Amino acid sequence: MMGYYILLGAIALVSWLVSSKLKSKFKHYSKVQLQNGMSGAEIAEKMLADHGISDVKVVSTAGMLTDHYNPKNKTVNLSEGVYNQRNAAAAAVAAHECGHAVQHAQAYEWLTMRSKLVPIVSVTSGMSQWVVFGGIMLGAAAGIGLGYWVAVAGLVMMGMATLFSFITLPVEYDASNRALAWLKNKNVVTQQEYKGSEDALKWAARTYLVAAIGSLATLVYWALQVLGRD
């Protein structure tokens, strides 16, 4: 178990470092005011309109960095620090979330795959580790009996969460690429503002990358425990 706690600590440390860097980047680029004077909400509405999307609403949501696109009710949810603000960070986030709306409208295959996994992962991710641990306690290390199969079931659950985290990567990177391309091609931001938006989105994407690597590392660790390999 000591190895597992060391792994958890390492993952948590890297995650904290990336998250802290992301927050500092957004704080910095929140001071870069847009010359066009558009708010995050106005940028989102313009991007949707430019892509011929008229059935998606842009709404404000509470919290910091709580921005997301909801495919169920077709809403682009922008945090308070993005919805009303007129800076490079707000432009980046607003356009990124609209990138997801564009993916949905165009039936982007990776987004479709991720959406199908959401109901499964929402149920299994929270219990997978406990199922694996329970199986080991029942004697999975021996490689036989009920405990082994319980642990294997937990690994399958954990594997679904890991798969979900890796499928999320192309979804997030593609949304950022769509956002940056639109911001540049439509001359929504200046060259300096664009660089700020690009840098902010790069760090946002790295949080998903760290999460995916952490999920894979955890899966491999428990798989080795169950399968009894050195």
Side-chain angles (χ1 to χ4, degrees), residues 163-178:
L163 176 63
F164 180 83
S165 65
F166 274 91
I167 288 178
T168 295
L169 292 179
V171 174
E172 295 300 328
Y173 277 96
D174 179 77
S176 291
N177 289 337
R178 291 173 188 265

Side-chain angles (χ1 to χ4, degrees), residues 1 6 12 19 24 31-33 46 50 59 66 70 79 120 124 138 151 168-169 172-173 184 192 228 230:
M1 288 297 292
I6 294 175
S19 179
S24 68
K31 299 176 182 179
V32 180
Q33 298 300 309
K46 177 173 173 53
D50 285 350
V59 300
T66 53
N70 189 332
S79 61
I120 300 174
T124 62
L138 289 173
T168 295
L169 292 179
E172 295 300 328
Y173 277 96
K184 186 175 184 178
Q192 180 186 2
D230 295 329

Side-chain angles (χ1 to χ4, degrees), residues 26 29-30 32 34 38-41 43-44 67 78 81-96 197 200:
F26 270 87
Y29 293 122
S30 291
V32 180
L34 297 181
M38 296 176 68
S39 67
I43 287 174
D67 312 86
L78 302 179
V82 172
Y83 189 88
N84 295 308
Q85 296 303 309
R86 307 168 189 276
N87 52 60
V93 174
H96 172 87
S197 296

Side-chain angles (χ1 to χ4, degrees), residues 67-84:
D67 312 86
H68 65 281
Y69 170 67
N70 189 332
K72 291 184 177 180
N73 59 13
K74 291 189 175 183
T75 57
V76 170
N77 299 265
L78 302 179
S79 61
E80 298 166 346
V82 172
Y83 189 88
N84 295 308

Side-chain angles (χ1 to χ4, degrees), residues 15 56 79 101 192 213 227:
S15 179
V56 174
S79 61
Q192 180 186 2
I213 294 174
L227 298 177

Side-chain angles (χ1 to χ4, degrees), residues 80-119:
E80 298 166 346
V82 172
Y83 189 88
N84 295 308
Q85 296 303 309
R86 307 168 189 276
N87 52 60
V93 174
H96 172 87
E97 298 308 331
C98 286
H100 288 308
V102 175
Q103 289 174 337
H104 190 195
Q106 298 179 357
Y108 180 58
E109 61 272 18
W110 289 103
L111 179 63
T112 301
M113 289 174 62
R114 187 177 72 166
S115 297
K116 290 180 179 179
L117 284 174
V118 168

